[in-house]
Amino acid sequence: MKKYYLETFGCQMNVVDSEQIEDQLRQLGYRSVSEPAAADLILLNTCSIRARAERKVYGHLGRFKPLKERNPELILAVGGCVAQQEGARMLQKVPYLDMVFGTHNVHRLAEMVRQVESRRARPVAVEFLDPETRRRLFPRRVATDSITRFVTVIQGCDNFCSYCIVPYVRGREVSRPHGEILAEVVQLVEQGVREVTFIGQNVNSYGRKEAGEISFAELLRRVEDIAGLERVRFVTSHPKDLSDELIDCFGDLAKLCNHIHLPVQAGSDRILTAMRRGYGRDQYLERVARLRRACPDIRITSDIIVGFPGETAEDFAQTMDLLEQARFAEIYSFLYSARPETAAARLKDATPKADHQARFERLVARQEEISRDYREADLGRVVPVLVEGASRQGAGQLFGRTGWNRIVNFDGDPALIGRMVAVRLTAAQRNSHIGEVVPCSTACEHRLQPSAFSLQSGSL
Ligand code: 5AD
Ligand code: SF4
């Protein structure tokens, strides 16, 4: 049997594309291996969000060169966002590369692999497809035994934030028909899935471009009625498109988890304008306040970019202040990286790199204190956890997640996998909590009302 080695970089969109890739490879008779040296086909699904991610791809390809020299039959393929951006140039830069396929051409992978296998062609597929075709070609359910799944509801982005490469490598926004999404969730539940995460670059603008399509909030309401599904989450939300209707869902829907990832990017109005974000600092904080009114126990996480061209010490002070006001549970912070084609790539920046680095470290350090406060305040709480599987921590341990997406490891019977249990949080680590399952005589109560349940502390 032929073997493939696949490495996936970047965001959830790539994770889902990789599932589609693996599905096609299995149908071609390949099975997965964890060592590139053992593979007949090596595939990298790449990310180009920052220059470092892109450089990594070329680094990896270099690593595979000796394998290719030893085995000229080896097929080396690159997909994803770097492939989309670079196209045929990649074949020139990497003479031993066999094929390049972009973000709109994942469905053609099998056909391309066959071309390489049969006549050693070097196919490149990076054309963008028209919206109607893309609506038909959304990533689809693949067989799974996992408890949680990503479901793509919208692809692409129309926002053109001045720093961001995504619209250039993923194309414009297209939403998937809601009937198809709901049918897929029902099938996933039949397969044993208990939690779905709706994904897209900007899920908040779901359905806006498609005449007669329902809103994202309405989609969430309809998912609420799917029997057997315990939880729903979504990423990512653009603050400018976060409607009151959607915020109200956090108060109204029992299955919607008490977490939202709401990237703010910067705390200064001047920088937000230069980034073309479409909201100001006060508007962002108003959305945060409204979220907390709708769901007092909601956890908000965010993305922040440090060192956008022209960012001054005063601008950065505003970002630090926003951290205090918003009290994010966690942030993902990034140093600005100029990306090809983007508007910000033309901007000059006078601030020395070392200053940006120092600011970055201050930001990370302050957020770490805030995150630690959350972790410690959670100790002793009893919260609903969806049990996802055996823990990596050790024999006999299980793991699951809280509503706010925190991993919890605890002792338990594997028969609990796929069920909601009550867990007392007993110790906090950097990336996870340790807990203990609490006998829960009112188990079904918290299953019906996870967010109400999670407000309680102490024993049930
Ligand atoms: N430089 C640094 N960070 C970036 N991001 C997107 N583009 C860039 C860039 N050019 C960050 C944003 C986004 C996250 C996925 O990556 O914070 O929300
Ligand atoms: Fe990376 Fe953006 Fe592509 Fe996701 S969509 S893989 S974050 S460049």
Side-chain angles (χ1 to χ4, degrees):
M1 207 184 207
K2 295 174 289 187
K3 299 179 233 54
Y4 72 88
Y5 170 80
L6 168 67
E7 231 175 294
T8 306
F9 304 88
C11 67
Q12 299 87 350
M13 308 309 280
N14 269 12
V15 170
V16 165
D17 284 345
S18 280
E19 287 170 8
Q20 305 285 307
I21 289 168
E22 296 196 77
D23 204 36
Q24 291 179 66
L25 292 176
R26 276 193 293 269
Q27 285 175 31
L28 284 178
Y30 283 83
R31 71 174 171 82
S32 143
V33 286
S34 55
E35 271 302 314
D40 303 289
L41 186 157
I42 296 178
L43 202 150
L44 300 182
N45 195 7
T46 61
C47 171
S48 59
I49 195 91
R50 284 168 290 275
R52 210 163 71 106
E54 189 183 329
R55 273 199 305 274
K56 243 203 242 167
V57 175
Y58 286 101
H60 271 66
L61 288 171
R63 243 181 41 197
F64 299 140
K65 191 176 177 196
L67 297 178
K68 184 82 180 180
E69 281 166 355
R70 242 182 291 150
N71 172 16
E73 294 295 304
L74 173 67
I75 299 175
L76 199 53
V78 175
C81 296
V82 177
Q84 185 63 48
Q85 184 193 308
E86 295 280 285
R89 270 200 306 265
M90 277 198 110
L91 292 184
Q92 282 157 16
K93 285 193 196 165
V94 186
Y96 49 92
L97 184 61
D98 294 292
M99 54 179 267
V100 177
F101 62 102
T103 55
H104 288 193
N105 290 277
V106 174
H107 61 290
R108 291 182 51 198
L109 177 83
E111 162 206 326
M112 294 171 76
V113 169
R114 266 194 239 107
Q115 281 176 20
V116 183
E117 283 176 340
S118 62
R119 49 186 178 86
R120 299 309 303 184
R122 297 178 83 203
V124 176
V126 289
E127 315 73 73
F128 272 163
L129 304 177
D130 64 85
E132 265 322 297
T133 312
R134 285 174 68 208
R135 259 165 85 77
R136 278 192 286 106
L137 288 173
F138 262 79
R140 269 155 216 287
R141 180 181 67 97
V142 291
T144 175
D145 54 7
S146 59
I147 302 301
T148 64
R149 270 334 248 174
F150 291 142
V151 175
T152 312
V153 299
I154 180 167
Q155 288 187 312
C157 183
D158 287 356
N159 288 317
F160 291 92
C161 299
S162 62
Y163 53 82
C164 187
I165 200 168
V166 169
Y168 304 95
V169 290
R170 290 261 167 195
R172 294 301 86 73
E173 274 176 11
V174 177
S175 297
R176 186 177 184 189
H178 72 270
E180 221 183 82
I181 297 169
L182 294 169
E184 182 164 304
V185 176
V186 169
Q187 288 170 345
L188 287 170
V189 169
E190 281 164 6
Q191 237 174 254
V193 169
R194 294 291 169 259
E195 173 185 307
V196 291
T197 302
F198 286 151
I199 66 166
Q201 255 81 35
N202 179 13
V203 292
N204 298 166
S205 54
Y206 174 81
R208 293 233 176 116
K209 284 163 83 171
E210 287 76 11
E213 191 49 280
I214 62 176
S215 67
F216 188 61
E218 178 59 26
L219 182 69
L220 293 177
R221 274 191 225 113
R222 296 200 191 176
V223 168
E224 181 82 359
D225 297 331
I226 296 178
L229 184 77
E230 296 281 2
R231 282 175 162 177
V232 59
R233 306 177 181 278
F234 58 84
V235 279
T236 292
S237 295
H238 194 305
K240 81 173 164 50
D241 298 317
L242 180 62
S243 65
D244 291 348
E245 188 198 10
L246 182 52
I247 290 179
D248 290 344
C249 288
F250 283 102
D252 300 342
L253 302 181
K255 290 180 184 175
L256 182 59
C257 288
N258 54 344
H259 170 226
I260 185 167
H261 185 60
L262 195 63
V264 64
Q265 311 297 2
S268 119
D269 281 336
R270 215 177 60 80
I271 296 296
L272 287 170
T273 304
M275 288 177 161
R276 300 189 187 153
R277 288 293 286 173
Y279 56 85
R281 166 199 177 83
D282 289 348
Q283 260 170 299
Y284 182 89
L285 288 170
E286 184 276 327
R287 292 287 83 186
V288 165
R290 190 164 173 137
L291 279 162
R292 293 204 165 114
R293 275 201 305 277
C295 177
D297 196 33
I298 198 166
R299 292 289 160 92
I300 304 171
T301 55
S302 201
D303 292 345
I304 293 181
I305 297 177
V306 175
F308 186 82
E311 182 191 271
T312 62
E314 173 51 30
D315 292 320
F316 180 70
Q318 295 268 311
T319 297
M320 290 297 286
D321 183 67
L322 186 117
L323 229 53
E324 306 305 324
Q325 310 265 335
R327 287 199 71 81
F328 299 120
E330 300 275 347
I331 59 168
Y332 301 89
S333 30
F334 309 100
L335 273 168
Y336 170 76
S337 164
R339 306 309 294 126
E341 296 188 76
T342 60
R346 293 190 292 272
L347 301 176
K348 297 264 174 301
D349 186 36
T351 308
K353 262 196 171 154
D355 290 9
H356 288 318
Q357 182 66 38
R359 288 175 191 167
F360 179 82
E361 282 162 21
R362 270 178 60 205
L363 179 82
V364 171
R366 177 62 191 127
Q367 179 59 46
E368 178 47 31
E369 290 170 357
I370 298 172
S371 298
R372 203 180 48 224
D373 287 350
Y374 272 104
R375 294 198 292 268
E376 284 172 6
D378 285 335
L379 289 175
R381 284 180 69 177
V382 175
V383 292
V385 165
L386 175 62
V387 187
E388 292 183 35
S391 161
R392 288 198 206 129
Q393 298 276 311
Q397 287 242 306
L398 301 175
F399 86 98
R401 276 167 219 266
T402 64
W404 64 94
N405 216 14
R406 179 109 178 126
I407 291 182
V408 188
N409 294 293
F410 47 89
D411 287 330
D413 185 335
L416 293 176
I417 293 171
R419 298 197 21 213
M420 293 284 273
V421 294
V423 174
R424 178 181 289 115
L425 303 176
T426 53
Q429 297 171 330
R430 173 67 192 82
N431 294 314
S432 58
H433 268 89
I434 296 171
E436 60 194 17
V437 177
V438 178
C440 175
S441 56
T442 51
C444 49
E445 211 173 284
H446 74 255
R447 289 171 62 149
L448 290 173
Q449 286 240 298
S451 47
F453 173 81
S454 67
L455 277 174
Q456 301 181 20
S457 59
S459 64
L460 284 171

